[in-house]
Amino acid sequence: MQFEAKIEVSPRDGIANPEGSTIERSLPALGFEMTRNVRVGKLIRFEVEAESADAARSLVEDMCNRFLTNPVIEDAAVEVLET
Amino acid sequence: MQFEAKIEVSPRDGIANPEGSTIERSLPALGFEMTRNVRVGKLIRFEVEAESADAARSLVEDMCNRFLTNPVIEDAAVEVLET
Amino acid sequence: MSAAPEDASVHRALGLSDEEYEQIHELLGRHPNHLELAMYSVMWSEHCSYKSSKVHLKRLPTEAPWVLVGPGENAGVIDVGDDIAVAIRIESHNHPSAIEPYQGAATGVGGILRDIFTMGARPIAVMDPLRFGPLDDPRSRWIAEGVISGVSGYGNSVGVPTVGGEIVFDETYKGNPLVNVLAMGVLPSERLVLGQASGVGNLAILLGAATGRDGIGGVSVLASAGFDENSEGADKRPSVQVGDPFEEKRLLEACLELLDEGLVSGIQDLGGAGITCATSETASRGGAGMDVDVSAIHSREEGMEPFELMTSESQERMLAIVEPEHLEKVLEISAQWEITASVIGRVTGNGQLRIMDGFEGEVLAELPASTLHDDAPEYNRPMSPPDDLTERRLRDASQGPANCVEDLLALVCDPSWVYSQYDHQLFLNTVVGPGNDGTLLRLRHPSTGEETGRGLAMSTDGNHRWCYVDPRQGTKMIVAEAVMNIACVGANPLAVVNCLNFGNPEHPEIMWQLSESVDGMSEACIAFNAPVVGGNVSLYNETNAVDIAPTPVVGVLGVHPDLSEPPPGIGLPPDSLLLVLGQEPESDVSMGGSRWAWEVGCCKDGVLPEFDLDHAVRTAAFVAESVQKQRLKAVHDVGEGGLAVALAEMAIRSGIGAKIKNHDNHISMFNESGGRVLVAIENRELDDFVKTAAARGVTAKVIGETGGSSLQFGPMVDVSLESLTVASENQLPEALGQGTVNA
Amino acid sequence: MTQRVGVIRFPGTNCEFDTIDAVRALGGEAEILWHSDSSIKNVDAIVIPGGFAHGDYLRCGAIARFSPVMEAVSDFALAGGPVLGICNGFQVLTEAGLLPGALQKNAGMKFLCSMQQIEFVSTQNVVGKGSQVGDCLQIPINHFEGNYVCSPEILSRLETQEQIVFRYTDNPNGSIKDIAGICNEAGNVVGMMPHPERATSDLLGSNDGAALIQSFLSV
Ligand SMILES: Nc1ncnc2c1ncn2[C@@H]1O[C@H](COP(=O)(O)OP(=O)(O)O)[C@@H](O)[C@H]1O
Ligand SMILES: [Mg+2]
């Protein structure tokens, strides 16, 4: 079966997020004053072939842990949808 | 009111996504052969203060178009949740 | 292969005029089909065919005994001795950068690098002359930041150091930035390869990235059309290309390895007009023809039409011409570098370019390969000076509120915010990097790495103010400035490349500017004995029908004959004498075209100061000689902002000030009389130095001495180094890096 | 002193020949080790040089660390062999788990290429021989992701076990505790963001990197 995997990679709590802070710092100058706590992460999507939704999910989680994220600085949220 | 904005930025269809293709090329060597069409985008989250959900949404969309993305090459999906 | 006479809207939409269509009709002896029409339209575009500028470019001097390859190939190549050849080229990526600054600049760097390794050279340096709208315009800031990150992001990653450039902000570039990129590479002289296909039966192999729909029609739509507020937008957007420096790096290594192993007989990069250009150019240069199988092209998307495959400008691709017996080895090296390689063409003997669906399949297009280039139209467009030229020249540019201290503080600007984002040290060659006058690199043998004890120097220079006031003399002065910059690091010039950034060629005054500029460049290049070995023309630089000020940009390459010691640098030494070398400004020197007049005085007209080209030639030679003989303690040429800005830069660098006699009014401080160089020498050297200068026919005048913690002009003008340093360092960081909006 | 140094080349690496030049100029021998080979050919020491292995896509070093050669490098390191990761090489070593922590984007969100002063914090490692704690060196940096981060536990271990090798005297990138380079517990694996190979000639502005490479060649 075909699944669509979507992985949200976010900076871990407590780890500085230079990208987010830089955006946040520049917002007031651009007239966006009402925003706070900007965090920038990554969004990874792909199609995956697996026997079942469970199998797809565990495959994607394995990819996440071994390769797609670095647990020292990142957290991941995995979503797998049948297509 | 306080809202949580979440923006998914993805490369527009038809635009090359070198990062995604490079990841895709390296997956088989790691034993992940069943994946295709890898695309990497950005995930931006922040808190925003606005009068209403509509106001928050239009503020965030404005930020997206003018600042956070370049609509020429990127698509953005905006989500705004009350917190 | 016949096609019905078609309705004129098709060729017009493709940017071909009715006359051009008629010419194609005649060349083929029949009506072209849509694929053929698309191929002519991209190849006959201004960008690919130089149809408006060709007649003028012919007047440039292009020959010297050391020129191995002049204009017309992918890059110019010169012999620098010790069996080393240097390939150099400059190109513009102005229009793409206006729409997507990061990718526009990134793909500009990628494109110019391919021009260099196409010649068999390993690229070892990039330079990026950049011009943007004013810093107080948010969109201009957005463009500037995107472009700078694009150069940094692509150049650093592909692994070629960016060793110099320019950064200029002016109203004239609002909406139409100029993003020029120069690249230089070295190769063993014997390995020079040309982009040609010969040998019937040889294979054309497409290497690198998959072909996508990006950049379809980019040549005619993106590169040759001006912008106005309405058309800038949705319809052009899908044409943006995304650069992949990692693909380019692997492609570069793979191609150099193929050349090292002697496996290719011709090689050509894919740039404007994509596969159409590469296949027809290689074939017609080699006097051959080619069959191209569109179905063999590896593509990124499904269902691409032949015309899309043939005109796509997808980045990071090369075409190699290979004898069949080398095919296997070529595929092996490609695989090692993870480069996709497809055999897409076969060299034929009949001079025809045939596009086919399978080598035995249907013929989709057939035309004489050479007609795409050699028969491209050539226009001698009408030209005339602007109507108000005489009037403009009568205006006095020296008027305005002059406060010498404040003006000086406003005119100093440290560009390190830009170049500190560029790797400028890779390959361990950079003796003098960005932030000085010329860049100076160690010259080492490309295959053995052996040092020659000599150096390669480069500088890029342009000046739209001078060229707006007087395109002919202004261009002479920028060539002189570029040469003076490399003289300051001890080098003598060998060759020039140029990028002619002008407005709409359908405006007669633009063609006049271009023609004048070419003549000025010719005269200066002849005087400096530095032929033009390559260049690029970018026209239609306009926003809402307003043309940019004429902006020819030149890059000069030279050699330092004995690099045992680094040059003295620009920093002022303590307790020394300061001299100005070169032509002395007339007593009533004009401020026309000066930065002071444009940015402080607010008069853009007038005339340029008198300029003595021969004196500049002698001065450059004397400066280079003095640096080589290590007789100077500091040296810096005088350019934009005149004497005062040059001195300020020298003082800021070392933290040592100076006392200047006289020169205490805005005219003598900020005039931009050309061909001058500031030098510091020890007191006891004075007599001998002035004598040598005189013997070389160079005027040398003591103007003051170094020391102290401020810069003083006469008794009245006194600026502390601290305030100068703060003003200079803060200019860019205060404006850039603070967040920008794209609208 | 005829150390044979293996210099790893991934697709996208770009400082491999500079590193070789510097090693040779200081009397060592050097050869390229290709990333897809699984052997390190009996070299005496390994440098993972700077550059953009695999384009730095996903994360710097994330793809490179799966290259076949890295298994051999890991075995070599665990057996006590000298390994130096410079810039991108440092990033690869953290991704491979041979050094703790991670390198993220510079605090200023800009690539930085500039001369930087660094100070020796510990010399109990393969680049410290002949140097003193407190020695200051002028060595260029050239990176976008040089901002070292780690958990508080790891940080205190780095501090108590003298695993911080260098710190910046003027922190350019936001790195925690100004860290410019660290080593493993045994001191045989060092990762540093500054490029010592770029500081091996007065003509190029500094010769301070020579001491580090010399030390590396003599262990
Ligand atoms: N965009 C840029 N990229 C790299 N280096 C730059 C850039 N802009 C300016 N520089 C460097 O800053 C120095 C000063 O630039 P500029 O004032 O244009 O020099 P000059 O007036 O001597 O031609 C030069 O060394 C130049 O190479
Ligand atoms: Mg200069």
Side-chain angles (χ1 to χ4, degrees), chain C residues 128 130 164-167 415 418-419 422 434-437 461 481 485 637:
Chain C
D128 65 336
L130 305 177
E166 288 174 276
I167 180 121
V418 180
Y419 63 74
Y422 303 156
N436 299 287
D437 287 318
D461 287 274
E481 167 154 15
N485 273 325
D637 73 311

Side-chain angles (χ1 to χ4, degrees), chain A residues 18-83:
Chain A
E19 214 164 342
S21 328
T22 303
I23 292 180
E24 188 160 337
R25 238 178 300 132
S26 61
L27 285 169
L30 306 176
F32 301 109
E33 265 131 35
M34 301 73 75
T35 46
R36 287 189 315 124
N37 198 11
V38 183
R39 285 141 297 150
V40 179
K42 266 185 293 204
L43 186 68
I44 305 173
R45 292 168 201 260
F46 50 87
E47 288 152 27
V48 57
E49 178 79 39
E51 303 266 291
S52 66
D54 280 354
R57 199 178 172 81
S58 79
L59 181 75
V60 175
E61 279 174 353
D62 184 32
M63 286 173 70
C64 253
N65 292 332
R66 281 179 50 206
F67 175 50
L68 295 175
T69 66
N70 180 352
V72 177
I73 44 174
E74 295 166 330
D75 282 325
V78 169
E79 229 177 279
V80 176
L81 293 174
E82 201 169 331
T83 49

Side-chain angles (χ1 to χ4, degrees), chain C residues 205 213 217 429 467 489 496 598 720 726 738:
Chain C
I205 305 181
R213 288 201 173 87
N429 291 328
C467 293
V489 295
V496 165
W598 278 46
S720 78
V726 170
Q738 306 297 319

